[in-house]
Amino acid sequence: MPGLIKKFITKLSEERYFYFKFKLILLNTFFSVIPLIIVITITYLWIHQIAHDEFKNNLKWQMEETRHSLEFFISERISALRFLVSSYPEEYFTNEKIFSRLFSNFKKEFEGIVDMGIVDERGIQMLYTGPYKLKGKDYSQAEWFKEMFLRTEYVTDVFLGYRKIPHFSIIVKKESNYHNKFWLIRVSLNMDILQKFVSNLEIGNNDDAFFINKQRILQTNSKLFGNVLEPLKLNNITIQTDRKNITIYNIELNKKQAYIAYVPVKDTPWILVTAICSRPYEKIPSFFTKEVILISILSIIITFFVITKSITSLINRIQKADHEREIAIANAEHADKLASIGRLAAGVAHEINNPLAIINEKAGLMKDLIEYTDLSQNKDRFLQLVSSIQDNVARCRSITHRLLSFSKRIDRGKEDFNINEAIKEVVGFIEKEIRTKGINMFYDFQEDLPKIISDKGQLQQVLLNIINNAVDAVDQGGTIEIKTKLSNSNHIAISIKDNGHGIPKDKLKHIFEPFYTTKKKGTGLGLYISYGIIKKLGGEIYVSSEVGKGTIFTIEIPINPEMEEIK
Amino acid sequence: MKKAKLLIIDDESELVSALTERLTLRGYEANGVTNFTDGVKFLKKLPDVVILDIGLPDMDGLEALKKIKEINPSIQVIMLSGYGDDERVNKSLMYGAYDYLIKPVEIEELISKIESAKLKKEEMK
């Protein structure tokens, strides 16, 4: 986890800031728009429900209206006929001339009447006036005639009759003074009059309204379910003829939702039916579609703007802070480098000072011998001392040469080298310190390791760092064991194990973080920089530690980093 | 005045031998050893001044300094080391070293330090 955080803070490039910002803006906008969407959805459903109820009420109202006007229309005519037969003298219904005049007056007052006739109790039409020649026709077998034995008035279904035009009749019975004698007055009306009632309904082009009778025979033409006198081609609903109120069905018609509403017309054989397919209730009022959408878009834009603004400033602040931290880390890294150079310089000075001191004393002794003793006896002594001086000069030279090769290598970059030798070289730099502390060094090197291609200088810097830490960790006379082995076909594992005081668990997770240190004089950047270097070289660095027992650092480094990339 | 009795402890045997010889030539009773364990024997003869290196194979020089001061606080110790960092210098002086010299050192300077160290020892008696 610390590695991840570190990567995050140190390697957040411009592009990643942008994506981070982009993601935050989208996420925030999305979540702040959710309540708006919820409110709009609820409002939409609510308005939809209102529109729906409104539509149903409107439909009911219209159908009620049509039904009432038809009921009124029929009852008006029945009343008029009743008045006729009860108030007019007998001759009006026996004398053809008078009857004809009565009809023409009647027709003037009551629209839709086509003809009028008188039928006696045998079913023979005694008088007829109208456009057809129907006088003397026998109706004794007609349904309506049979009905009239039981009723005083009757409205027939639409039928063809003798004239072969769909029509219906209104019949009123006049009981005669004689026992069991009666006659009927019958007026006919064309089916068009019913059609007219239907066409008064305000319905859409795809909708349908028509009348049927109780046997489900169409009484007017229907757009969807057939023509007049055909059976209704709509089988999936039941129509109850005894209902007084409007019944609405929600059914599927031609794979679309549709409403079928019906209401029986009182005192007639008809049932008014409407089929609504055009779904006018789905038309949401324009204030919703226009204003609400406008307000929503506006508020989304404002939300987006505000969020963008605040997140941009937030990201800018983070970026600035990161930048400042990067500078601070770079400065600290530089300071750490200087400190390392200082440490190296102190070490080198010490290493050179020792042979210099010997040279100084040997040369001084030679001078003393000249001063204090007889020169001729000391020839061998002199030779011995000079050769000792030369040995120590050689010792100094080896130190300075090693330093030179190290400084040369710093800028060299990748080269191939033997890891075991590289480790020995690193240990060589701090040999004196190791010896001073009486540390026992053990090497467990795999001898046949392939040469690795890497940045030797940087890798040695890391090794120096970790071995130095190990030297600091152990007590006088402690043990450090360095082991190398091939961990897989392309990796070499280097482990540095010490038997020092160990790192407590709570501190272990922080050791690769910048500025984390437990040493009084440390900068806290050594392991942080080492971590960065190993990652850069394509390797891994692990640590395991147990308090009181010691610590093992393991570095896994690719033999050939290019192979790594292909993989 | 009697010349000081000296003990030189340094892990570089060549340095020890040359320095011992040079100081002997100047009339000092000087002994040289390359580790602290050997040095302990000579400490019992109570040298006036010990010339001590910081890094010893068997003991850290600072520890050795503490031990010497435990045996006899009047023994004056001059640290002689290749290291010259403040930490070691300060610690040594804190633990009671007479002085801290950095290698290589001029014989005249060393002798003058030895002389003044001996004077200090005399005063402590």
Side-chain angles (χ1 to χ4, degrees):
Chain A
M1 213 54 199
L4 212 86
I5 292 162
K6 199 152 52 223
K7 253 191 202 163
F8 185 73
I9 53 172
T10 54
K11 293 198 176 152
L12 211 57
S13 64
E14 293 298 314
E15 206 176 81
R16 288 185 62 180
Y17 282 115
F18 176 76
Y19 281 124
F20 186 46
K21 188 159 88 182
F22 185 70
K23 234 164 90 183
L24 273 182
I25 289 172
L26 274 192
L27 219 69
N28 274 284
T29 310
F30 177 70
F31 282 113
S32 38
V33 163
I34 281 179
L36 186 71
I37 291 168
I38 290 171
V39 168
I40 288 174
T41 311
I42 290 170
T43 316
Y44 176 84
L45 292 174
W46 182 59
I47 287 177
H48 190 272
Q49 189 60 43
I50 288 175
H52 198 206
D53 291 348
E54 185 81 352
F55 154 76
K56 271 191 179 173
N57 286 338
N58 188 39
L59 181 67
K60 274 185 186 172
W61 179 79
Q62 279 200 44
M63 285 177 71
E64 206 67 54
E65 194 80 344
T66 304
R67 167 191 153 179
H68 281 311
S69 21
L70 181 56
E71 278 169 4
F72 179 74
F73 181 88
I74 297 294
S75 74
E76 196 182 38
R77 271 142 196 81
I78 289 173
S79 305
L81 286 173
R82 268 189 192 292
F83 178 76
L84 277 185
V85 294
S86 60
S87 308
Y88 279 60
E90 194 82 5
E91 62 171 329
Y92 274 82
F93 310 106
T94 50
N95 185 313
E96 189 150 10
K97 252 188 183 170
I98 300 171
F99 185 67
S100 164
R101 211 164 56 226
L102 178 71
F103 170 67
S104 61
N105 285 338
F106 192 76
K107 196 181 169 182
K108 258 183 236 163
E109 293 301 321
F110 298 100
E111 57 151 344
I113 308 285
V114 177
D115 58 9
M116 186 154 85
I118 302 292
V119 176
D120 69 7
E121 80 266 12
R122 294 164 302 156
I124 305 296
Q125 181 142 286
M126 301 304 287
L127 285 178
Y128 174 81
T129 175
Y132 306 99
K133 296 213 167 6
L134 298 174
K135 190 179 174 185
K137 291 279 181 190
D138 183 358
Y139 290 110
S140 59
Q141 295 309 308
E143 277 301 312
W144 58 266
F145 184 75
K146 289 174 188 165
E147 284 282 324
M148 288 319 285
F149 285 98
L150 307 168
R151 296 167 177 248
T152 57
E153 59 207 41
Y154 187 57
V155 180
T156 67
D157 293 345
V158 173
F159 64 104
L160 286 175
Y162 289 113
R163 67 189 74 167
K164 305 298 173 204
I165 285 172
H167 68 288
F168 65 93
S169 298
I170 302 170
I171 302 138
V172 168
K173 186 157 87 173
K174 168 72 180 174
E175 305 275 354
S176 181
N177 296 334
Y178 304 102
H179 178 67
N180 258 354
K181 287 229 167 178
F182 65 87
W183 52 270
L184 309 168
I185 184 162
R186 187 186 73 109
V187 291
S188 298
L189 293 94
N190 274 346
M191 175 267 281
D192 307 1
I193 207 92
L194 283 179
Q195 200 83 51
K196 224 159 102 191
F197 277 101
V198 158
S199 60
N200 282 343
L201 282 163
E202 283 176 29
I203 51 173
N205 286 335
N206 300 325
D207 304 332
D208 197 7
F210 50 87
F211 285 104
I212 56 168
N213 68 4
K214 293 182 170 69
Q215 288 75 45
R216 297 170 75 109
I217 304 296
L218 280 161
Q219 302 290 292
T220 60
N221 290 320
S222 158
K223 274 185 247 169
L224 302 170
F225 308 110
N227 283 323
V228 64
L229 293 178
E230 288 172 15
L232 180 67
K233 291 171 195 153
L234 178 69
N235 299 319
N236 47 355
I237 62 162
T238 51
I239 288 174
Q240 287 172 302
T241 52
D242 51 348
R243 285 274 172 87
K244 277 189 180 140
N245 293 326
I246 293 169
T247 311
I248 298 182
Y249 283 105
N250 193 350
I251 63 155
E252 197 172 278
L253 200 68
N254 299 331
K255 287 173 182 171
K256 276 179 170 175
Q257 278 304 112
Y259 282 110
I260 301 284
Y262 73 87
V263 61
V265 182
K266 206 169 68 190
D267 299 331
T268 73
W270 303 309
I271 297 160
L272 173 62
V273 182
T274 52
I276 308 292
C277 310
S278 57
R279 306 173 76 85
Y281 50 86
E282 284 205 330
K283 281 183 197 145
I284 296 301
S286 65
F287 85 87
F288 190 82
T289 47
K290 282 182 190 160
E291 280 160 50
V292 169
I293 285 177
L294 197 78
I295 290 167
S296 313
I297 289 174
L298 210 73
S299 53
I300 289 171
I301 288 171
I302 291 170
T303 311
F304 182 77
F305 181 77
V306 170
I307 286 172
T308 307
K309 198 89 175 148
S310 57
I311 284 178
T312 304
S313 84
L314 180 78
I315 295 289
N316 286 347
R317 276 182 147 185
I318 291 173
Q319 200 169 358
K320 202 177 151 202
D322 283 351
H323 185 64
E324 278 167 6
R325 193 186 359 240
E326 271 167 35
I327 290 172
I329 288 173
N331 285 343
E333 273 183 41
H334 184 68
D336 187 73
K337 218 170 208 167
L338 287 181
S340 316
I341 291 168
R343 187 169 177 163
L344 194 69
V348 168
H350 170 251
E351 287 216 41
I352 291 180
N353 279 344
N354 270 319
L356 277 182
I358 294 168
I359 291 166
N360 185 43
E361 297 315 325
K362 300 276 172 183
L365 184 57
M366 282 164 79
K367 216 166 127 193
D368 289 351
L369 288 175
I370 295 165
E371 230 171 277
Y372 293 97
T373 62
D374 182 3
L375 236 148
S376 58
Q377 287 174 1
N378 287 312
K379 191 187 167 194
D380 286 347
R381 220 37 235 290
F382 264 76
L383 285 174
Q384 208 186 343
L385 286 169
V386 169
S387 94
S388 172
I389 286 172
Q390 281 173 332
D391 286 349
N392 280 286
V393 168
R395 200 171 138 189
C396 286
R397 191 180 55 209
S398 84
I399 294 164
T400 54
H401 281 196
R402 205 163 57 195
L403 197 63
L404 273 178
S405 78
F406 184 72
S407 75
K408 265 188 213 155
R409 202 180 294 119
I410 285 172
D411 300 321
R412 203 181 277 170
K414 273 179 192 170
E415 61 183 299
D416 55 335
F417 59 92
N418 183 307
I419 190 73
N420 294 345
E421 283 166 21
I423 293 168
K424 283 259 174 71
E425 264 179 54
V426 170
V427 176
F429 280 115
I430 49 172
E431 208 162 19
K432 181 74 187 174
E433 225 172 318
I434 289 167
R435 213 157 7 108
T436 304
K437 242 184 154 176
I439 293 168
N440 301 301
M441 293 293 298
F442 291 107
Y443 300 101
D444 179 8
F445 288 164
Q446 188 175 325
E447 291 303 331
D448 55 349
L449 285 178
K451 285 194 167 184
I452 68 169
I453 301 168
S454 201
D455 189 322
K456 189 178 175 186
Q458 292 213 323
L459 187 59
Q460 282 188 316
Q461 193 184 327
V462 173
L463 289 168
L464 184 68
N465 207 323
I466 292 171
I467 296 169
N468 254 331
N469 283 345
V471 169
D472 288 342
V474 298
D475 294 319
Q476 192 80 20
T479 305
I480 295 174
E481 189 183 339
I482 304 178
K483 196 169 164 181
T484 59
K485 69 165 203 233
L486 204 63
S487 67
N488 62 46
S489 62
N490 197 37
H491 283 85
I492 285 176
I494 306 155
S495 63
I496 293 133
K497 180 180 167 187
D498 66 59
N499 67 346
H501 34 71
I503 308 166
K505 269 223 168 82
D506 58 321
K507 287 179 179 170
L508 199 62
K509 59 190 173 190
H510 296 298
I511 61 166
F512 291 116
E513 287 172 22
F515 309 115
Y516 183 80
T517 182
T518 53
K519 295 183 197 169
K520 273 182 212 152
K521 282 170 76 185
T523 57
L525 284 170
L527 283 176
Y528 169 62
I529 291 167
S530 299
Y531 184 89
I533 290 173
I534 292 299
K535 282 276 164 191
K536 205 170 73 188
L537 298 180
E540 291 288 343
I541 183 163
Y542 313 101
V543 60
S544 67
S545 186
E546 206 173 321
V547 175
K549 285 197 172 169
T551 306
I552 307 175
F553 273 91
T554 307
I555 298 169
E556 262 202 341
I557 200 90
I559 294 166
N560 189 344
E562 271 152 37
M563 261 168 70
E564 193 78 357
E565 276 158 32
I566 291 162
K567 201 167 72 177
Chain B
M1 199 172 70
K2 209 179 144 197
K3 289 270 186 179
K5 278 191 278 178
L6 303 175
L7 175 63
I8 300 155
I9 310 174
D10 196 307
D11 62 335
E12 299 278 355
S13 58
E14 283 188 276
L15 182 81
V16 172
S17 61
L19 197 57
T20 313
E21 192 171 353
R22 292 189 77 189
L23 291 168
T24 311
L25 281 173
R26 281 167 176 76
Y28 293 96
E29 189 192 328
N31 287 298
V33 290
T34 56
N35 57 58
F36 187 73
T37 323
D38 294 342
V40 174
K41 297 174 210 156
F42 291 97
L43 280 172
K44 284 175 184 154
K45 294 178 185 169
L46 287 180
D48 300 313
V49 179
V50 175
I51 295 162
L52 181 65
D53 188 16
I54 277 283
L56 294 176
D58 56 348
M59 193 183 281
D60 183 65
L62 289 171
E63 287 297 313
L65 170 62
K66 276 196 226 168
K67 285 262 158 70
I68 293 166
K69 284 287 173 186
E70 273 168 31
I71 290 167
N72 192 334
S74 73
I75 297 173
Q76 296 303 309
V77 181
I78 297 171
M79 305 303 292
L80 182 61
S81 166
Y83 288 109
D85 56 288
D86 290 345
E87 193 191 348
R88 279 179 238 243
V89 174
N90 290 339
K91 267 195 182 156
S92 307
L93 297 178
M94 207 171 73
Y95 294 148
Y98 177 73
D99 208 343
Y100 192 110
L101 301 176
I102 297 165
K103 288 176 186 173
V105 70
E106 285 300 317
I107 193 79
E108 287 77 21
E109 194 192 348
L110 183 63
I111 283 166
S112 81
K113 292 283 178 204
I114 290 169
E115 286 304 318
S116 40
K118 179 160 185 284
L119 283 177
K120 192 178 177 195
K121 199 205 164 201
E122 302 286 297
E123 280 165 26
M124 283 180 80
K125 273 182 181 172

